[in-house]
Amino acid sequence: MVRGQDLKVQGAEQFGYALAADGNTIAVGSPDELIDRTGVRGAVYLYSASTLRYTRIHQRSKGVYTRWLSRFGHSVDLLDGRLVIGAPNADVGNHNGAGRVHFLRWNETKRTYSVVRSFSQATKGVPGAARDNDALGSTVVIARGLTASSSYDVVAAAMYDQLDNVKNSRLLTVTNFDKGGHRLITQDSPGVPSTPKKQGMFGWTLAVRNDGLRTSAVLASASQLDHPDTDGWAVVQTSPGRLNTWNYLWPSTIGHTYQYGYSITG
């Protein structure tokens, strides 16, 4: 429970919409929180688990500003001093709601942060294209060893993005937290089961399964996969540290399973 005197936001601001924890820090997203009278919204609170004192990062914080209803804090993840924040409603150029992902460093001892960078699908070197309402950053996770040995990597989903003319097929962007570089993962990518479908929602939810301290596997849910036991949702998983190798995770049940994998956790 958060102390009443520390909590100055209301339920309508969606405080707690996104949560992450690592070490002695709890990250809490408040994506509809009003920041100032111009209508800028979205904040993330970093709480000390032992004292419940917090540091607040918001859209007016230096280096992280995005306009209006960007839903800064709609998604968050935190690992070993690396903080990732999704702002899926952020405008990019003339594209409303194309989405942006922010990278920050968090010093748990000093309880201070520094901005590293951000990216959108209009950023140089990022595959794909920024479109209205793509919602990049709707889900974000930090994994280990996907792009290099022992690397820290970010996987970010674009909730309503499309592949070619397949609307809402949903795309994943993978980038090395420290070194950059970007790779697009879709259901057309090598090793990924099924094929892109309208409303396929590949990566609707994401999770990470750690295989030791330096290697992870990524779990992704998707709708309408070509699997004999479902017309609803299923879960696919990479082999630890290998983005080209995916396999179904399926419950050992008899008969039909509907919406298995709608929500997942590592």
Side-chain angles (χ1 to χ4, degrees), residues 141-147 153-155 172-174 183-186 189-193 202-203 205-211 214-221 234-249 264:
V141 293
I142 304 175
R144 297 296 312 270
L146 297 179
T147 64
D153 303 296
V154 175
V155 184
L172 306 180
T173 302
V174 181
R183 175 176 175 178
L184 196 64
I185 304 292
T186 74
S189 298
V192 179
F202 175 58
T205 52
L206 296 172
V208 172
R209 181 179 65 81
N210 293 320
D211 187 50
R214 299 182 178 181
T215 309
S216 304
V218 176
L219 294 84
S221 64
V235 177
V236 293
Q237 175 184 272
T238 64
S239 293
R242 298 184 63 184
L243 286 171
N244 288 338
T245 305
W246 296 73
N247 60 312
Y248 284 106
L249 290 181
I264 52 177

mmCIF file of all heavy atoms in Angstrom, residues 141-147 153-155 172-174 183-186 189-193 202-203 205-211 214-221 234-249 264:
data_model
loop_
_atom_site.group_PDB
_atom_site.id
_atom_site.type_symbol
_atom_site.label_atom_id
_atom_site.label_comp_id
_atom_site.label_asym_id
_atom_site.label_seq_id
_atom_site.Cartn_x
_atom_site.Cartn_y
_atom_site.Cartn_z
ATOM 1 N N VAL A 141 9.235 -4.748 -22.841
ATOM 2 C CA VAL A 141 9.927 -5.608 -21.882
ATOM 3 C C VAL A 141 11.432 -5.490 -22.117
ATOM 4 O O VAL A 141 11.883 -5.149 -23.216
ATOM 5 C CB VAL A 141 9.510 -7.095 -21.997
ATOM 6 C CG1 VAL A 141 8.067 -7.290 -21.577
ATOM 7 C CG2 VAL A 141 9.737 -7.628 -23.395
ATOM 8 N N ILE A 142 12.202 -5.780 -21.074
ATOM 9 C CA ILE A 142 13.664 -5.844 -21.164
ATOM 10 C C ILE A 142 14.085 -7.295 -21.037
ATOM 11 O O ILE A 142 13.678 -7.996 -20.106
ATOM 12 C CB ILE A 142 14.341 -5.005 -20.066
ATOM 13 C CG1 ILE A 142 13.856 -3.555 -20.116
ATOM 14 C CG2 ILE A 142 15.864 -5.059 -20.223
ATOM 15 C CD1 ILE A 142 14.407 -2.688 -18.980
ATOM 16 N N ALA A 143 14.889 -7.757 -21.984
ATOM 17 C CA ALA A 143 15.371 -9.135 -21.991
ATOM 18 C C ALA A 143 16.897 -9.133 -22.049
ATOM 19 O O ALA A 143 17.522 -8.097 -22.281
ATOM 20 C CB ALA A 143 14.787 -9.897 -23.175
ATOM 21 N N ARG A 144 17.493 -10.304 -21.882
ATOM 22 C CA ARG A 144 18.946 -10.445 -21.894
ATOM 23 C C ARG A 144 19.393 -11.316 -23.057
ATOM 24 O O ARG A 144 18.784 -12.342 -23.382
ATOM 25 C CB ARG A 144 19.457 -11.088 -20.591
ATOM 26 C CG ARG A 144 19.209 -10.318 -19.312
ATOM 27 C CD ARG A 144 19.915 -8.976 -19.247
ATOM 28 N NE ARG A 144 21.311 -9.024 -19.609
ATOM 29 C CZ ARG A 144 22.320 -9.242 -18.742
ATOM 30 N NH1 ARG A 144 22.044 -9.473 -17.482
ATOM 31 N NH2 ARG A 144 23.564 -9.242 -19.163
ATOM 32 N N GLY A 145 20.486 -10.904 -23.709
ATOM 33 C CA GLY A 145 21.184 -11.756 -24.661
ATOM 34 C C GLY A 145 20.507 -11.968 -25.999
ATOM 35 O O GLY A 145 20.829 -12.918 -26.703
ATOM 36 N N LEU A 146 19.595 -11.073 -26.414
ATOM 37 C CA LEU A 146 18.911 -11.254 -27.685
ATOM 38 C C LEU A 146 19.731 -10.770 -28.874
ATOM 39 O O LEU A 146 19.670 -11.342 -29.958
ATOM 40 C CB LEU A 146 17.561 -10.531 -27.680
ATOM 41 C CG LEU A 146 16.522 -11.009 -26.668
ATOM 42 C CD1 LEU A 146 15.263 -10.169 -26.785
ATOM 43 C CD2 LEU A 146 16.208 -12.484 -26.867
ATOM 44 N N THR A 147 20.484 -9.680 -28.695
ATOM 45 C CA THR A 147 21.236 -9.091 -29.810
ATOM 46 C C THR A 147 22.736 -9.308 -29.707
ATOM 47 O O THR A 147 23.449 -9.112 -30.689
ATOM 48 C CB THR A 147 20.955 -7.578 -29.918
ATOM 49 O OG1 THR A 147 21.430 -6.921 -28.730
ATOM 50 C CG2 THR A 147 19.468 -7.304 -30.072
ATOM 51 N N ASP A 153 18.378 -5.922 -23.826
ATOM 52 C CA ASP A 153 17.628 -5.632 -25.035
ATOM 53 C C ASP A 153 16.185 -5.271 -24.693
ATOM 54 O O ASP A 153 15.617 -5.771 -23.729
ATOM 55 C CB ASP A 153 17.636 -6.838 -25.974
ATOM 56 C CG ASP A 153 19.048 -7.264 -26.331
ATOM 57 O OD1 ASP A 153 19.751 -6.464 -26.965
ATOM 58 O OD2 ASP A 153 19.441 -8.381 -25.955
ATOM 59 N N VAL A 154 15.619 -4.405 -25.513
ATOM 60 C CA VAL A 154 14.250 -3.966 -25.330
ATOM 61 C C VAL A 154 13.395 -4.497 -26.470
ATOM 62 O O VAL A 154 13.783 -4.415 -27.636
ATOM 63 C CB VAL A 154 14.167 -2.432 -25.277
ATOM 64 C CG1 VAL A 154 12.714 -1.965 -25.217
ATOM 65 C CG2 VAL A 154 14.943 -1.905 -24.076
ATOM 66 N N VAL A 155 12.253 -5.066 -26.127
ATOM 67 C CA VAL A 155 11.265 -5.479 -27.112
ATOM 68 C C VAL A 155 10.040 -4.598 -26.921
ATOM 69 O O VAL A 155 9.484 -4.526 -25.816
ATOM 70 C CB VAL A 155 10.875 -6.959 -26.949
ATOM 71 C CG1 VAL A 155 9.916 -7.383 -28.059
ATOM 72 C CG2 VAL A 155 12.126 -7.851 -26.951
ATOM 73 N N LEU A 172 6.793 -6.154 -33.578
ATOM 74 C CA LEU A 172 7.715 -6.012 -32.458
ATOM 75 C C LEU A 172 9.016 -5.404 -32.957
ATOM 76 O O LEU A 172 9.542 -5.814 -33.988
ATOM 77 C CB LEU A 172 8.004 -7.362 -31.813
ATOM 78 C CG LEU A 172 6.810 -8.209 -31.363
ATOM 79 C CD1 LEU A 172 7.305 -9.505 -30.741
ATOM 80 C CD2 LEU A 172 5.922 -7.439 -30.399
ATOM 81 N N THR A 173 9.525 -4.429 -32.224
ATOM 82 C CA THR A 173 10.840 -3.854 -32.515
ATOM 83 C C THR A 173 11.793 -4.245 -31.400
ATOM 84 O O THR A 173 11.484 -4.056 -30.223
ATOM 85 C CB THR A 173 10.769 -2.324 -32.627
ATOM 86 O OG1 THR A 173 9.847 -1.963 -33.657
ATOM 87 C CG2 THR A 173 12.135 -1.752 -32.976
ATOM 88 N N VAL A 174 12.935 -4.796 -31.767
ATOM 89 C CA VAL A 174 13.951 -5.225 -30.805
ATOM 90 C C VAL A 174 15.164 -4.323 -30.957
ATOM 91 O O VAL A 174 15.635 -4.079 -32.078
ATOM 92 C CB VAL A 174 14.365 -6.687 -31.038
ATOM 93 C CG1 VAL A 174 15.404 -7.119 -30.010
ATOM 94 C CG2 VAL A 174 13.151 -7.605 -30.980
ATOM 95 N N ARG A 183 15.703 -4.019 -34.902
ATOM 96 C CA ARG A 183 15.288 -5.140 -35.723
ATOM 97 C C ARG A 183 13.790 -5.330 -35.591
ATOM 98 O O ARG A 183 13.240 -5.267 -34.492
ATOM 99 C CB ARG A 183 16.018 -6.407 -35.278
ATOM 100 C CG ARG A 183 15.549 -7.678 -36.001
ATOM 101 C CD ARG A 183 16.377 -8.860 -35.580
ATOM 102 N NE ARG A 183 15.878 -10.097 -36.167
ATOM 103 C CZ ARG A 183 16.463 -11.286 -35.986
ATOM 104 N NH1 ARG A 183 17.557 -11.371 -35.253
ATOM 105 N NH2 ARG A 183 15.954 -12.367 -36.543
ATOM 106 N N LEU A 184 13.121 -5.572 -36.704
ATOM 107 C CA LEU A 184 11.680 -5.763 -36.718
ATOM 108 C C LEU A 184 11.355 -7.254 -36.696
ATOM 109 O O LEU A 184 11.939 -8.044 -37.434
ATOM 110 C CB LEU A 184 11.086 -5.137 -37.975
ATOM 111 C CG LEU A 184 9.577 -4.905 -37.999
ATOM 112 C CD1 LEU A 184 9.171 -3.889 -36.943
ATOM 113 C CD2 LEU A 184 9.157 -4.435 -39.389
ATOM 114 N N ILE A 185 10.429 -7.646 -35.812
ATOM 115 C CA ILE A 185 9.966 -9.027 -35.734
ATOM 116 C C ILE A 185 8.474 -9.031 -36.040
ATOM 117 O O ILE A 185 7.684 -8.332 -35.383
ATOM 118 C CB ILE A 185 10.206 -9.635 -34.336
ATOM 119 C CG1 ILE A 185 11.680 -9.542 -33.948
ATOM 120 C CG2 ILE A 185 9.726 -11.090 -34.314
ATOM 121 C CD1 ILE A 185 12.601 -10.398 -34.764
ATOM 122 N N THR A 186 8.063 -9.806 -37.043
ATOM 123 C CA THR A 186 6.658 -9.950 -37.389
ATOM 124 C C THR A 186 6.375 -11.435 -37.570
ATOM 125 O O THR A 186 7.273 -12.275 -37.480
ATOM 126 C CB THR A 186 6.323 -9.216 -38.699
ATOM 127 O OG1 THR A 186 6.863 -9.966 -39.810
ATOM 128 C CG2 THR A 186 6.926 -7.819 -38.710
ATOM 129 N N SER A 189 8.581 -13.043 -40.045
ATOM 130 C CA SER A 189 10.003 -13.204 -39.750
ATOM 131 C C SER A 189 10.363 -14.690 -39.661
ATOM 132 O O SER A 189 9.522 -15.525 -39.308
ATOM 133 C CB SER A 189 10.349 -12.511 -38.426
ATOM 134 O OG SER A 189 10.112 -11.125 -38.509
ATOM 135 N N PRO A 190 11.621 -15.018 -39.973
ATOM 136 C CA PRO A 190 12.040 -16.427 -39.915
ATOM 137 C C PRO A 190 11.793 -17.042 -38.540
ATOM 138 O O PRO A 190 12.129 -16.461 -37.516
ATOM 139 C CB PRO A 190 13.541 -16.346 -40.219
ATOM 140 C CG PRO A 190 13.708 -15.096 -41.015
ATOM 141 C CD PRO A 190 12.699 -14.133 -40.453
ATOM 142 N N GLY A 191 11.185 -18.224 -38.540
ATOM 143 C CA GLY A 191 10.983 -18.974 -37.310
ATOM 144 C C GLY A 191 9.728 -18.655 -36.540
ATOM 145 O O GLY A 191 9.367 -19.374 -35.606
ATOM 146 N N VAL A 192 9.029 -17.552 -36.888
ATOM 147 C CA VAL A 192 7.834 -17.180 -36.139
ATOM 148 C C VAL A 192 6.633 -17.964 -36.686
ATOM 149 O O VAL A 192 6.391 -17.957 -37.890
ATOM 150 C CB VAL A 192 7.556 -15.671 -36.237
ATOM 151 C CG1 VAL A 192 6.295 -15.312 -35.460
ATOM 152 C CG2 VAL A 192 8.748 -14.885 -35.692
ATOM 153 N N PRO A 193 5.868 -18.634 -35.825
ATOM 154 C CA PRO A 193 4.749 -19.454 -36.305
ATOM 155 C C PRO A 193 3.661 -18.613 -36.968
ATOM 156 O O PRO A 193 3.495 -17.433 -36.685
ATOM 157 C CB PRO A 193 4.204 -20.103 -35.021
ATOM 158 C CG PRO A 193 5.315 -20.011 -34.038
ATOM 159 C CD PRO A 193 6.058 -18.763 -34.384
ATOM 160 N N PHE A 202 -0.152 -9.891 -32.891
ATOM 161 C CA PHE A 202 1.081 -10.549 -32.467
ATOM 162 C C PHE A 202 1.796 -9.673 -31.446
ATOM 163 O O PHE A 202 2.135 -8.534 -31.723
ATOM 164 C CB PHE A 202 1.969 -10.790 -33.686
ATOM 165 C CG PHE A 202 3.320 -11.347 -33.373
ATOM 166 C CD1 PHE A 202 3.460 -12.546 -32.703
ATOM 167 C CD2 PHE A 202 4.475 -10.675 -33.760
ATOM 168 C CE1 PHE A 202 4.710 -13.072 -32.420
ATOM 169 C CE2 PHE A 202 5.732 -11.189 -33.490
ATOM 170 C CZ PHE A 202 5.850 -12.393 -32.818
ATOM 171 N N GLY A 203 2.029 -10.214 -30.246
ATOM 172 C CA GLY A 203 2.660 -9.438 -29.186
ATOM 173 C C GLY A 203 1.692 -8.586 -28.395
ATOM 174 O O GLY A 203 2.099 -7.605 -27.778
ATOM 175 N N THR A 205 0.404 -9.202 -25.629
ATOM 176 C CA THR A 205 1.097 -9.155 -24.352
ATOM 177 C C THR A 205 2.474 -9.789 -24.524
ATOM 178 O O THR A 205 2.663 -10.691 -25.344
ATOM 179 C CB THR A 205 0.337 -9.906 -23.241
ATOM 180 O OG1 THR A 205 0.018 -11.229 -23.693
ATOM 181 C CG2 THR A 205 -0.938 -9.188 -22.881
ATOM 182 N N LEU A 206 3.450 -9.297 -23.782
ATOM 183 C CA LEU A 206 4.819 -9.784 -23.833
ATOM 184 C C LEU A 206 5.280 -10.123 -22.425
ATOM 185 O O LEU A 206 4.847 -9.515 -21.446
ATOM 186 C CB LEU A 206 5.765 -8.718 -24.420
ATOM 187 C CG LEU A 206 5.553 -8.283 -25.864
ATOM 188 C CD1 LEU A 206 6.454 -7.086 -26.185
ATOM 189 C CD2 LEU A 206 5.850 -9.431 -26.819
ATOM 190 N N ALA A 207 6.178 -11.084 -22.329
ATOM 191 C CA ALA A 207 6.804 -11.419 -21.060
ATOM 192 C C ALA A 207 8.204 -11.948 -21.346
ATOM 193 O O ALA A 207 8.557 -12.241 -22.498
ATOM 194 C CB ALA A 207 5.982 -12.449 -20.287
ATOM 195 N N VAL A 208 9.003 -12.047 -20.306
ATOM 196 C CA VAL A 208 10.379 -12.526 -20.428
ATOM 197 C C VAL A 208 10.592 -13.682 -19.465
ATOM 198 O O VAL A 208 10.200 -13.604 -18.292
ATOM 199 C CB VAL A 208 11.392 -11.392 -20.128
ATOM 200 C CG1 VAL A 208 12.811 -11.942 -20.066
ATOM 201 C CG2 VAL A 208 11.292 -10.301 -21.179
ATOM 202 N N ARG A 209 11.173 -14.766 -19.965
ATOM 203 C CA ARG A 209 11.564 -15.892 -19.121
ATOM 204 C C ARG A 209 13.080 -15.939 -19.081
ATOM 205 O O ARG A 209 13.741 -16.115 -20.093
ATOM 206 C CB ARG A 209 11.027 -17.210 -19.684
ATOM 207 C CG ARG A 209 11.399 -18.421 -18.826
ATOM 208 C CD ARG A 209 10.832 -19.703 -19.399
ATOM 209 N NE ARG A 209 11.417 -20.030 -20.694
ATOM 210 C CZ ARG A 209 12.605 -20.622 -20.855
ATOM 211 N NH1 ARG A 209 13.348 -20.922 -19.801
ATOM 212 N NH2 ARG A 209 13.053 -20.907 -22.056
ATOM 213 N N ASN A 210 13.634 -15.738 -17.904
ATOM 214 C CA ASN A 210 15.088 -15.709 -17.756
ATOM 215 C C ASN A 210 15.663 -17.117 -17.714
ATOM 216 O O ASN A 210 15.173 -17.978 -16.987
ATOM 217 C CB ASN A 210 15.475 -14.952 -16.482
ATOM 218 C CG ASN A 210 15.135 -13.484 -16.561
ATOM 219 O OD1 ASN A 210 15.322 -12.857 -17.610
ATOM 220 N ND2 ASN A 210 14.631 -12.925 -15.489
ATOM 221 N N ASP A 211 16.694 -17.330 -18.510
ATOM 222 C CA ASP A 211 17.393 -18.611 -18.550
ATOM 223 C C ASP A 211 18.804 -18.367 -18.029
ATOM 224 O O ASP A 211 19.760 -18.301 -18.782
ATOM 225 C CB ASP A 211 17.419 -19.161 -19.984
ATOM 226 C CG ASP A 211 17.983 -20.562 -20.045
ATOM 227 O OD1 ASP A 211 17.521 -21.412 -19.274
ATOM 228 O OD2 ASP A 211 18.889 -20.793 -20.874
ATOM 229 N N ARG A 214 22.101 -14.080 -17.869
ATOM 230 C CA ARG A 214 22.523 -13.324 -19.048
ATOM 231 C C ARG A 214 21.779 -13.677 -20.318
ATOM 232 O O ARG A 214 22.087 -13.148 -21.379
ATOM 233 C CB ARG A 214 24.033 -13.533 -19.276
ATOM 234 C CG ARG A 214 24.890 -13.058 -18.106
ATOM 235 C CD ARG A 214 26.367 -13.245 -18.396
ATOM 236 N NE ARG A 214 27.197 -12.751 -17.306
ATOM 237 C CZ ARG A 214 28.519 -12.764 -17.303
ATOM 238 N NH1 ARG A 214 29.178 -13.276 -18.348
ATOM 239 N NH2 ARG A 214 29.193 -12.292 -16.296
ATOM 240 N N THR A 215 20.819 -14.560 -20.218
ATOM 241 C CA THR A 215 20.073 -14.988 -21.403
ATOM 242 C C THR A 215 18.594 -15.075 -21.064
ATOM 243 O O THR A 215 18.221 -15.542 -19.992
ATOM 244 C CB THR A 215 20.556 -16.353 -21.908
ATOM 245 O OG1 THR A 215 21.970 -16.333 -22.055
ATOM 246 C CG2 THR A 215 19.926 -16.676 -23.250
ATOM 247 N N SER A 216 17.750 -14.632 -21.992
ATOM 248 C CA SER A 216 16.309 -14.668 -21.791
ATOM 249 C C SER A 216 15.614 -15.250 -23.008
ATOM 250 O O SER A 216 16.171 -15.282 -24.113
ATOM 251 C CB SER A 216 15.757 -13.252 -21.551
ATOM 252 O OG SER A 216 16.383 -12.620 -20.471
ATOM 253 N N ALA A 217 14.392 -15.686 -22.790
ATOM 254 C CA ALA A 217 13.470 -16.009 -23.870
ATOM 255 C C ALA A 217 12.314 -15.030 -23.800
ATOM 256 O O ALA A 217 11.925 -14.582 -22.724
ATOM 257 C CB ALA A 217 12.962 -17.440 -23.744
ATOM 258 N N VAL A 218 11.777 -14.673 -24.957
ATOM 259 C CA VAL A 218 10.642 -13.754 -25.030
ATOM 260 C C VAL A 218 9.373 -14.554 -25.296
ATOM 261 O O VAL A 218 9.346 -15.417 -26.177
ATOM 262 C CB VAL A 218 10.847 -12.709 -26.148
ATOM 263 C CG1 VAL A 218 9.617 -11.814 -26.277
ATOM 264 C CG2 VAL A 218 12.084 -11.871 -25.864
ATOM 265 N N LEU A 219 8.334 -14.274 -24.529
ATOM 266 C CA LEU A 219 7.023 -14.883 -24.738
ATOM 267 C C LEU A 219 6.096 -13.830 -25.318
ATOM 268 O O LEU A 219 6.064 -12.692 -24.848
ATOM 269 C CB LEU A 219 6.444 -15.400 -23.425
ATOM 270 C CG LEU A 219 7.169 -16.576 -22.750
ATOM 271 C CD1 LEU A 219 8.335 -16.101 -21.917
ATOM 272 C CD2 LEU A 219 6.184 -17.343 -21.875
ATOM 273 N N ALA A 220 5.350 -14.213 -26.338
ATOM 274 C CA ALA A 220 4.417 -13.287 -26.987
ATOM 275 C C ALA A 220 3.098 -13.981 -27.244
ATOM 276 O O ALA A 220 3.062 -15.112 -27.716
ATOM 277 C CB ALA A 220 5.013 -12.780 -28.303
ATOM 278 N N SER A 221 2.010 -13.309 -26.921
ATOM 279 C CA SER A 221 0.696 -13.852 -27.248
ATOM 280 C C SER A 221 0.263 -13.339 -28.610
ATOM 281 O O SER A 221 0.736 -12.311 -29.092
ATOM 282 C CB SER A 221 -0.334 -13.454 -26.188
ATOM 283 O OG SER A 221 -0.512 -12.054 -26.179
ATOM 284 N N ALA A 234 -3.011 -17.710 -28.470
ATOM 285 C CA ALA A 234 -1.984 -18.695 -28.157
ATOM 286 C C ALA A 234 -0.711 -17.944 -27.758
ATOM 287 O O ALA A 234 -0.627 -16.728 -27.873
ATOM 288 C CB ALA A 234 -1.723 -19.613 -29.343
ATOM 289 N N VAL A 235 0.268 -18.681 -27.291
ATOM 290 C CA VAL A 235 1.542 -18.091 -26.863
ATOM 291 C C VAL A 235 2.678 -18.741 -27.636
ATOM 292 O O VAL A 235 2.708 -19.967 -27.803
ATOM 293 C CB VAL A 235 1.764 -18.286 -25.341
ATOM 294 C CG1 VAL A 235 3.126 -17.747 -24.923
ATOM 295 C CG2 VAL A 235 0.659 -17.591 -24.555
ATOM 296 N N VAL A 236 3.601 -17.927 -28.120
ATOM 297 C CA VAL A 236 4.816 -18.431 -28.738
ATOM 298 C C VAL A 236 6.009 -17.905 -27.950
ATOM 299 O O VAL A 236 5.932 -16.873 -27.289
ATOM 300 C CB VAL A 236 4.927 -18.024 -30.223
ATOM 301 C CG1 VAL A 236 3.854 -18.714 -31.049
ATOM 302 C CG2 VAL A 236 4.834 -16.503 -30.389
ATOM 303 N N GLN A 237 7.112 -18.620 -28.014
ATOM 304 C CA GLN A 237 8.296 -18.276 -27.230
ATOM 305 C C GLN A 237 9.547 -18.461 -28.059
ATOM 306 O O GLN A 237 9.662 -19.410 -28.828
ATOM 307 C CB GLN A 237 8.365 -19.176 -25.986
ATOM 308 C CG GLN A 237 9.630 -18.992 -25.156
ATOM 309 C CD GLN A 237 9.690 -19.972 -24.015
ATOM 310 O OE1 GLN A 237 9.184 -19.695 -22.944
ATOM 311 N NE2 GLN A 237 10.295 -21.127 -24.239
ATOM 312 N N THR A 238 10.494 -17.528 -27.912
ATOM 313 C CA THR A 238 11.783 -17.707 -28.558
ATOM 314 C C THR A 238 12.595 -18.728 -27.776
ATOM 315 O O THR A 238 12.388 -18.943 -26.583
ATOM 316 C CB THR A 238 12.597 -16.399 -28.591
ATOM 317 O OG1 THR A 238 12.906 -15.993 -27.253
ATOM 318 C CG2 THR A 238 11.832 -15.283 -29.283
ATOM 319 N N SER A 239 13.533 -19.344 -28.455
ATOM 320 C CA SER A 239 14.557 -20.082 -27.722
ATOM 321 C C SER A 239 15.435 -19.058 -27.021
ATOM 322 O O SER A 239 15.642 -17.955 -27.526
ATOM 323 C CB SER A 239 15.385 -20.930 -28.681
ATOM 324 O OG SER A 239 14.607 -21.959 -29.245
ATOM 325 N N PRO A 240 15.956 -19.363 -25.838
ATOM 326 C CA PRO A 240 16.729 -18.376 -25.093
ATOM 327 C C PRO A 240 17.843 -17.756 -25.937
ATOM 328 O O PRO A 240 18.693 -18.449 -26.480
ATOM 329 C CB PRO A 240 17.299 -19.180 -23.917
ATOM 330 C CG PRO A 240 16.290 -20.260 -23.712
ATOM 331 C CD PRO A 240 15.819 -20.616 -25.091
ATOM 332 N N GLY A 241 17.800 -16.430 -26.075
ATOM 333 C CA GLY A 241 18.833 -15.711 -26.795
ATOM 334 C C GLY A 241 18.787 -15.832 -28.301
ATOM 335 O O GLY A 241 19.693 -15.364 -28.983
ATOM 336 N N ARG A 242 17.719 -16.413 -28.858
ATOM 337 C CA ARG A 242 17.665 -16.633 -30.314
ATOM 338 C C ARG A 242 16.351 -16.107 -30.869
ATOM 339 O O ARG A 242 15.291 -16.686 -30.671
ATOM 340 C CB ARG A 242 17.830 -18.123 -30.639
ATOM 341 C CG ARG A 242 19.160 -18.701 -30.202
ATOM 342 C CD ARG A 242 19.273 -20.146 -30.639
ATOM 343 N NE ARG A 242 19.248 -20.274 -32.100
ATOM 344 C CZ ARG A 242 19.251 -21.442 -32.729
ATOM 345 N NH1 ARG A 242 19.240 -22.570 -32.036
ATOM 346 N NH2 ARG A 242 19.233 -21.473 -34.047
ATOM 347 N N LEU A 243 16.429 -15.008 -31.609
ATOM 348 C CA LEU A 243 15.234 -14.383 -32.144
ATOM 349 C C LEU A 243 14.677 -15.118 -33.359
ATOM 350 O O LEU A 243 13.541 -14.877 -33.759
ATOM 351 C CB LEU A 243 15.532 -12.930 -32.525
ATOM 352 C CG LEU A 243 15.680 -11.967 -31.341
ATOM 353 C CD1 LEU A 243 16.193 -10.618 -31.804
ATOM 354 C CD2 LEU A 243 14.356 -11.810 -30.623
ATOM 355 N N ASN A 244 15.466 -16.005 -33.967
ATOM 356 C CA ASN A 244 15.007 -16.711 -35.166
ATOM 357 C C ASN A 244 14.322 -18.043 -34.855
ATOM 358 O O ASN A 244 13.867 -18.718 -35.773
ATOM 359 C CB ASN A 244 16.180 -16.975 -36.117
ATOM 360 C CG ASN A 244 16.644 -15.705 -36.789
ATOM 361 O OD1 ASN A 244 15.911 -14.737 -36.879
ATOM 362 N ND2 ASN A 244 17.880 -15.705 -37.269
ATOM 363 N N THR A 245 14.286 -18.421 -33.591
ATOM 364 C CA THR A 245 13.716 -19.720 -33.228
ATOM 365 C C THR A 245 12.563 -19.522 -32.251
ATOM 366 O O THR A 245 12.750 -19.102 -31.119
ATOM 367 C CB THR A 245 14.794 -20.622 -32.584
ATOM 368 O OG1 THR A 245 15.906 -20.729 -33.468
ATOM 369 C CG2 THR A 245 14.234 -22.007 -32.321
ATOM 370 N N TRP A 246 11.351 -19.826 -32.740
ATOM 371 C CA TRP A 246 10.146 -19.675 -31.928
ATOM 372 C C TRP A 246 9.391 -21.003 -31.868
ATOM 373 O O TRP A 246 9.479 -21.801 -32.791
ATOM 374 C CB TRP A 246 9.209 -18.617 -32.533
ATOM 375 C CG TRP A 246 9.759 -17.233 -32.554
ATOM 376 C CD1 TRP A 246 10.750 -16.749 -33.377
ATOM 377 C CD2 TRP A 246 9.350 -16.136 -31.754
ATOM 378 N NE1 TRP A 246 10.972 -15.425 -33.120
ATOM 379 C CE2 TRP A 246 10.128 -15.013 -32.136
ATOM 380 C CE3 TRP A 246 8.384 -15.992 -30.748
ATOM 381 C CZ2 TRP A 246 9.970 -13.764 -31.544
ATOM 382 C CZ3 TRP A 246 8.231 -14.743 -30.162
ATOM 383 C CH2 TRP A 246 9.012 -13.638 -30.554
ATOM 384 N N ASN A 247 8.653 -21.221 -30.810
ATOM 385 C CA ASN A 247 7.837 -22.418 -30.718
ATOM 386 C C ASN A 247 6.567 -22.129 -29.923
ATOM 387 O O ASN A 247 6.508 -21.176 -29.145
ATOM 388 C CB ASN A 247 8.623 -23.563 -30.058
ATOM 389 C CG ASN A 247 9.075 -23.211 -28.657
ATOM 390 O OD1 ASN A 247 9.630 -22.156 -28.417
ATOM 391 N ND2 ASN A 247 8.861 -24.098 -27.715
ATOM 392 N N TYR A 248 5.538 -22.949 -30.158
ATOM 393 C CA TYR A 248 4.292 -22.819 -29.407
ATOM 394 C C TYR A 248 4.497 -23.250 -27.955
ATOM 395 O O TYR A 248 5.230 -24.199 -27.673
ATOM 396 C CB TYR A 248 3.205 -23.713 -30.012
ATOM 397 C CG TYR A 248 2.592 -23.196 -31.281
ATOM 398 C CD1 TYR A 248 2.898 -23.768 -32.495
ATOM 399 C CD2 TYR A 248 1.663 -22.154 -31.246
ATOM 400 C CE1 TYR A 248 2.316 -23.306 -33.669
ATOM 401 C CE2 TYR A 248 1.085 -21.687 -32.404
ATOM 402 C CZ TYR A 248 1.408 -22.269 -33.615
ATOM 403 O OH TYR A 248 0.831 -21.820 -34.764
ATOM 404 N N LEU A 249 3.831 -22.549 -27.067
ATOM 405 C CA LEU A 249 3.650 -23.024 -25.694
ATOM 406 C C LEU A 249 2.171 -23.338 -25.555
ATOM 407 O O LEU A 249 1.333 -22.439 -25.630
ATOM 408 C CB LEU A 249 4.042 -21.943 -24.684
ATOM 409 C CG LEU A 249 5.516 -21.598 -24.573
ATOM 410 C CD1 LEU A 249 5.724 -20.529 -23.514
ATOM 411 C CD2 LEU A 249 6.339 -22.823 -24.204
ATOM 412 N N ILE A 264 -0.031 -12.890 -20.080
ATOM 413 C CA ILE A 264 1.077 -13.772 -19.715
ATOM 414 C C ILE A 264 2.063 -13.025 -18.838
ATOM 415 O O ILE A 264 2.128 -11.804 -18.837
ATOM 416 C CB ILE A 264 1.822 -14.322 -20.957
ATOM 417 C CG1 ILE A 264 2.228 -13.183 -21.890
ATOM 418 C CG2 ILE A 264 0.984 -15.344 -21.681
ATOM 419 C CD1 ILE A 264 3.037 -13.660 -23.100
#
